[in-house]
Amino acid sequence: MSLSRLDLGSVQTPVEVADRLADALGLGPGDLLVKRDDLLGPGGGGNKVRKLEWTCAEALAAGADTLVTTGAAQSNHARLTAAVGARLGLRVVLVLAGRRRDDAEGNLLLDVLLGAQVVWAGDVDGPGLEAAADRVVTGLRSEGATPFLVPFGGSSPSSVRGYAAAGDELAEQVPDVRHVVVALGSGGTMAGLVSSLGVGRVLGVHCGAVPDPHAAVRRLLSDTPVAHDGLRIRTDQVGTSYGDLAEPAWQAVLLAGRTEGLVLEPTYTGRALAGLAAAVREGDVRRGERTVLVHTGGLPGLFGHQEARRRLRLGASGDGGTPLPQR
Ligand SMILES: *Cc1c(COP(=O)(O)O)cnc(C)c1O
């Protein structure tokens, strides 16, 4: 396993005070900060960049000329793999769950812009998607290419180091941080933060991307000496399924936008904020305790989310826009 890290444009990201949002949640002034990992790296940015700096180092060390990865149709990880592949001069093949379509919205539009090739795996579950990716890898090999399979969500025991470093960065920026709240997808982001900050300070909010979030995070920490008993994971924000709009997450998206001008999306960061709101209501996170919400990115997913688009259209309030005042 390579121990090196590529520099793909990750920088120290800012931490911003969010007092109006804190107040709306029932926290005090200075209690709530937002770590802006949405500002990280190429391709529209987001948390996957910190992980790709490790997995792409492995790919290059293995002599790869092609990156292959998997995801949902609106995968932020797939989009960032496409961006990073372009930057490294590698071909990128994205094996996405779903069926062929001609319109490209949100992340898919960027996948095309960034030059990635999309392969539709059909209506498959996790194992079905992995099997499809294996077939694509085999096909590329038989054509003489040297593909490297980036794991689902970019999460592997080695890429966890990306968020371990982010945890160290955060501890320097906010030495008295008591809670770090983060969306949990494939689990690598939470695992890295836990390995830096310990289980007690990190609250993961499960988004429904994997069947067993505890097992996912534990597996990613299995190479490390980090104790993972007592992981704090909320599983109450998924709603009906990963891709469906969950009402508390949607309300959280509106709240962040309207109190702070902070744009979240319903799949990940909206669920993370809704999980924080629930944790405050239940007394798990209290006034006076320094709390950091990690903004992991995902803005293109908002533009690719059909129900979010439906709810935000101007006509949704019935008028299609306010008419110019008569004078
Ligand atoms: C992938 C993703 C996450 C979750 O990160 P994992 O490391 O997969 O758990 C959170 N937020 C956004 C916007 C993401 O794209």
Side-chain angles (χ1 to χ4, degrees):
M1 190 185 298
S2 164
L3 288 174
S4 58
R5 169 188 158 265
L6 285 176
D7 179 1
L8 295 174
S10 77
V11 290
Q12 175 163 323
T13 55
V15 171
E16 295 171 353
V17 177
D19 277 351
R20 286 169 47 78
L21 179 56
D23 185 55
L25 296 177
L27 295 173
D31 287 353
L32 181 61
L33 304 164
V34 179
K35 179 139 176 82
R36 298 292 308 275
D37 271 16
D38 56 316
L39 303 177
L40 199 73
N47 66 328
K48 300 307 181 310
V49 174
R50 292 194 196 258
K51 300 193 270 183
L52 285 163
E53 290 186 328
W54 293 91
T55 39
C56 290
E58 287 180 339
L60 292 184
D65 57 18
T66 306
L67 299 176
V68 179
T69 200
T70 55
Q74 284 298 326
S75 167
N76 298 304
H77 163 68
R79 180 243 315 164
L80 287 167
T81 303
V84 159
R87 194 161 167 131
L88 295 171
L90 302 174
R91 180 176 167 196
V92 176
V93 183
L94 305 175
V95 184
L96 304 181
R99 295 178 178 280
R100 199 192 142 79
R101 62 189 79 188
D102 289 326
D103 59 321
E105 284 165 357
N107 278 298
L108 270 174
L109 181 150
L110 292 175
D111 295 341
V112 176
L113 182 152
L114 294 163
Q117 179 188 340
V118 173
V119 176
W120 292 109
D123 301 322
V124 289
D125 58 1
L129 192 56
E130 270 167 40
D134 286 342
R135 261 167 45 209
V136 167
V137 164
T138 304
L140 286 165
R141 282 213 185 96
S142 71
E143 292 165 15
T146 309
F148 181 92
L149 184 60
V150 180
F152 178 71
S155 289
S156 62
S158 65
S159 74
V160 159
R161 279 176 270 183
Y163 264 90
D168 296 348
E169 180 180 309
L170 181 56
E172 248 174 59
Q173 292 173 305
V174 190
D176 62 348
V177 62
R178 174 66 189 85
H179 306 281
V180 177
V181 182
V182 68
L184 195 173
S186 60
T189 304
M190 179 175 185
L193 291 170
V194 164
S195 71
S196 165
L197 300 166
V199 281
R201 288 197 280 182
V202 184
L203 175 61
V205 182
H206 175 45
C207 298
V210 292
D212 184 344
H214 284 88
V217 176
R218 276 201 304 270
R219 183 186 67 80
L220 292 164
L221 288 171
S222 60
D223 273 14
T224 70
V226 178
H228 46 66
D229 285 345
L231 285 171
R232 293 169 71 195
I233 297 176
R234 294 194 73 101
T235 57
D236 58 344
Q237 299 301 327
V238 177
T240 46
S241 79
Y242 168 77
D244 288 343
L245 196 75
E247 199 56 41
W250 183 243
Q251 293 308 319
V253 168
L254 297 180
L255 184 68
R258 293 167 186 189
T259 54
E260 297 287 349
L262 187 70
V263 184
L264 306 182
E265 43 65 50
T267 307
Y268 291 105
T269 51
R271 284 189 169 112
L273 178 56
L276 170 59
V280 173
R281 280 198 303 275
E282 292 167 9
D284 183 35
V285 172
R286 297 198 193 91
R287 224 181 145 83
E289 296 178 337
R290 189 91 65 202
T291 300
V292 174
L293 176 71
V294 184
H295 191 330
T296 41
L299 178 59
L302 176 68
F303 302 119
H305 198 298
Q306 285 204 1
E307 178 61 13
R309 287 158 53 99
R310 198 183 66 75
R311 294 211 193 183
L312 290 172
R313 72 194 198 284
L314 274 174
S317 52
D319 57 15
T322 306
L324 187 68
Q326 304 291 314
R327 48 168 288 151

